[in-house]
């Protein structure tokens, strides 16, 4: 939610800020703005509602330039998207400009105090209190700008990543972090800040991940980091290993389509990292904790939100089946408020692409307070979740820029498969032979996904028959029930076609009332032989009897449903436990082409943002 960039150095900041904001637009896109300290001493502020391209046009019409600047792309929390509410925000004198990601929870109290002292606020945002607070502290005299920032932040409660510039200090950029992500890009004679590494790829190859409660002072010659109480911090400088192409569309029409096509490679990378030549699973950094927990843990608890929650539901089935340990899942937003009761020895697994989802983080903190050890399945190195976990399994999917999750999801499924196999081995629930069989089948999944991708034209043609429908129902059973939920979520979030995912057996308990000749019912019918397959066919018959239009995902070579379904999408057959990894790709493509036919802005669905850092 909200993207931040900043630059201080000898170059013109404006193109660098715009380049960074373009790469961060997935974090929010209802308005954008920049503040640039110009050579004539003025602090130029330019903001526009809507997409970043509107700001670019404004900058073309009114060029500004300077070696110090901050930029912001917004996902509105406090105050509607408008120029007044867009960032950067200024103090009363117009000398201090601030960009912010997060929420200052006590802003109303701070604002009232400042108003009582004569400050006049222009916006409805929480952010605006920050420049006013700094202004008020500096008015008192005797404090440096850095000290004033620290003092202001000591009285702010909530979450923030901040970029701050002063009109009267042309060679210093300040940054601070508490609960929202922020990195410093360390250059040679120039420095950057950004919400995320992709924003400054190409520009630096070293970064500092700021910790909560740290403030950075960036000058062209170097970076100093201190804590809110003024004590110096010793930041760790890390090399950037990502390639710039990872944040480009690489010839695809959208990031989402590129990311769908990256899945075979992503899964291969994960397998190469964690399956040894002899077919055994090695979870690397997470091994020690799992070894200690495998026998000890009485229960596994999976915490996550959204798509990651569906991956968690899948993980639960695998862990119960392969590792023979009771497992439950909960949504981060529910777990934290439900007064959970956990067995003493519970192992928590947190799943998050971004590692910054506020509800997932809050639930992890609660689980830790309750004595759980936490393993995270996460895609973003250096993220808050990774820092707050006892061990991690990195999904290594690379930056996911399309707002709707695709490759990160399949990587989460694969990570769960690896983790469940390892836990199963450690607990004696799987023998060596079964482990080898399972990893051999896992190794085939990337090729199976390639075969689904090769059917893209057929899937597009099928989606063209249904894209004008108002509703769609997705049905699956057992391992494919979470995939029905994910398929429906993907469809509704990018196409705005209302879609419901249901456990097929539940259909007769309510949603069957929706079925008529206008309703497409997408049914997950692989593999051809398992104990729930016959039940699934019975559900299809129930749909047929009510004239629903069935789109069945079936195993290649399975002709048995052709008479029943209006359309079939054949996919390679694998074991039931791994079929979700293959089936979901067909549903991603179905949703994608549905959304395209409906004219949606696929990479930036309305109202959404990639990383949900507010509750
Ligand atoms: C949907 C989607 C969201 C996220 C959810 C959690 O396509 O991407 O539902 O899965 O917001 O995000 P992370 O995984 O970053 O915790």
């Amino acid at each position: 939610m909200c993207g931040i960039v900043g630059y201080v150095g000898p170059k013109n900041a404006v193109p660098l800020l715009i380049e960074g904001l373009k790469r961060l637009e997935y974090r929010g896109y209802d308005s954008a703005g920049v503040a640039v300290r110009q050579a004539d001493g003025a602090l130029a502020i330019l903001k526009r509602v809507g997409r970043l391209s509107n700001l670019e046009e404004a900058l073309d019409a009114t060029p500004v330039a300077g070696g110090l600047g901050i930029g912001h792309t917004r996902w509105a929390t406090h105050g509607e998207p408008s120029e007044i509410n867009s960032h950067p925000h200024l103090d009363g004198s117009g000398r201090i400009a601030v960009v912010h990601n997060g929420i200052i929870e006590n802003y109303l109290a701070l604002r009232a105090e400042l108003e009582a002292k004569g400050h006049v606020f222009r916006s409805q945002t929480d952010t605006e209190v920050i420049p006013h607070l700094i202004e008020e502290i500096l008015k008192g005299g005797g404090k440096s700008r850095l000290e004033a920032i620290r003092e202001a932040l000591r009285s702010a409660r909530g979450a923030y990543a901040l970029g701050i510039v002063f009109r009267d200090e042309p060679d210093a950029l300040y940054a601070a972090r508490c609960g929202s992500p922020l990195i410093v890009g360390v250059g040679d004679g120039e420095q950057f800040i950004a919400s995320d590494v992709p924003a400054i790829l190409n520009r630096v190859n070293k970064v500092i991940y700021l910790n909560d409660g740290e403030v950075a002072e960036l000058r062209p010659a170097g970076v100093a980091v201190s804590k809110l109480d003024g004590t110096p911090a010793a930041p760790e400088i890390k090399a950037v290993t990502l390639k710039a192409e990872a944040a480009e569309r690489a010839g695809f029409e959208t990031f989402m389509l590129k990311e769908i096509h990256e899945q075979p490679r992503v899964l291969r990378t994960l397998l190469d990292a964690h399956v040894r030549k002899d077919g055994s699973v090695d979870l690397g950094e997470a091994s020690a904790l799992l070894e200690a927990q495998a026998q000890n843990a009485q229960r596994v608890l999976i915490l996550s939100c959204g798509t990651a929650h569906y991956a968690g539901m899948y993980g639960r089935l695998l862990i119960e089946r392969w590792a023979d340990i009771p497992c439950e899942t909960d949504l981060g937003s529910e777990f934290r408020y439900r007064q959970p009761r956990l067995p003493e020895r519970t192992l928590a697994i947190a799943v998050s692409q971004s590692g910054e989802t506020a509800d997932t983080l809050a639930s992890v903190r609660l689980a830790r307070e309750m004595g759980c050890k936490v393993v995270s399945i996460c895609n973003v190195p250096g993220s808050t979740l990774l820092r707050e976990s006892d061990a991690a399994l990195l999904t290594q999917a690379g930056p996911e820029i399309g707002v709707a999750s695709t490759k990160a999801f399949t990587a989460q499924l694969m990570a769960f498969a690896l983790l469940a196999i390892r836990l199963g081995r450690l607990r004696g629930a799987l023998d060596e032979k079964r482990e080898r069989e399972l990893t051999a089948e896992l190794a085939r999944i990337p090729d199976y996904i390639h075969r689904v991708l090769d059917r893209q034209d057929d899937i597009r043609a099928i989606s063209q028959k249904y894209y004008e429908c108002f509703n769609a129902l997705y049905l699956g059973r057992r391992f494919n029930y979470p995939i029905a939920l994910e398929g429906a979520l993907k469809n509704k979030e990018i196409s705005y076609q209302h879609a419901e995912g249901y456990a097929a057996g539940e259909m007769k308990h309510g949603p069957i009332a929706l079925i008529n000749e206008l309703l497409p019912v997408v049914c997950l019918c692989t593999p051809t032989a398992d104990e729930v397959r016959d039940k699934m066919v019975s559900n299809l018959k129930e749909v047929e009897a009510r004239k629903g239009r069935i789109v069945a995902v079936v195993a290649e070579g399975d002709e048995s449903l052709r008479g029943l379904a209006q359309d079939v999408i054949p996919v390679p057959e694998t074991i039931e436990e791994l079929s979700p990894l293959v089936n979901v790709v067909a549903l991603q493509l179905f949703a994608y082409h549905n959304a395209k036919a409906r004219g949606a802005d696929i990479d930036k669905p309305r109202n959404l943002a990639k990383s949900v850092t507010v509750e």
Side-chain angles (χ1 to χ4, degrees), residues 305-309 351-357 360 400 403-406 412 486 489-490 493 609-612:
C305 299
T307 283
H309 176 63
V351 195
S352 174
Q353 188 285 129
S354 62
E356 304 293 346
T357 300
T360 304
E400 190 179 64
V403 165
S405 188
T406 52
Q412 287 161 358
E486 170 62 4
L489 177 68
K490 225 66 325 170
E493 70 182 326
K610 183 79 187 155
S611 156
V612 187

Side-chain angles (χ1 to χ4, degrees), residues 541-554:
K541 296 255 186 223
E542 290 157 7
V543 175
E544 185 199 30
R546 284 149 190 93
K547 301 196 169 45
R549 300 158 77 190
I550 298 172
V551 179
V553 177
V554 302

Side-chain angles (χ1 to χ4, degrees), residues 152-185:
L153 295 182
R154 286 199 295 269
S155 53
R157 218 179 47 237
Y160 54 79
L162 295 165
I164 306 169
V165 295
F166 294 84
R167 190 192 73 181
D168 302 332
E169 197 174 15
D171 60 353
L173 166 61
Y174 296 92
R177 175 200 153 122
C178 178
S180 298
L182 195 64
I183 56 161
V184 172

Side-chain angles (χ1 to χ4, degrees), residues 461-537:
I462 296 172
S463 73
Q464 303 313 291
K465 298 188 196 170
Y466 301 101
Y467 78 93
E468 285 174 314
C469 298
F470 289 114
N471 299 300
L473 185 62
Y474 285 67
L475 301 178
R477 277 180 178 262
R478 199 156 61 183
F479 283 89
N480 280 297
Y481 164 42
I483 301 312
L485 296 173
E486 170 62 4
L489 177 68
K490 225 66 325 170
N491 192 12
K492 67 185 139 197
E493 70 182 326
I494 61 169
S495 78
Y496 318 139
Q497 183 179 55
H498 173 245
E500 290 283 338
Y502 248 84
E506 274 289 297
M507 184 184 66
K508 56 185 146 325
H509 299 291
I512 198 163
L514 293 172
I515 297 176
N516 61 19
E517 61 284 1
L518 299 176
L519 185 78
V521 185
V522 180
C523 301
L524 296 163
C525 304
T526 74
T528 38
D530 70 59
E531 41 176 329
V532 293
R533 156 76 180 206
D534 291 347
K535 313 280 175 213
M536 194 66 206
V537 174

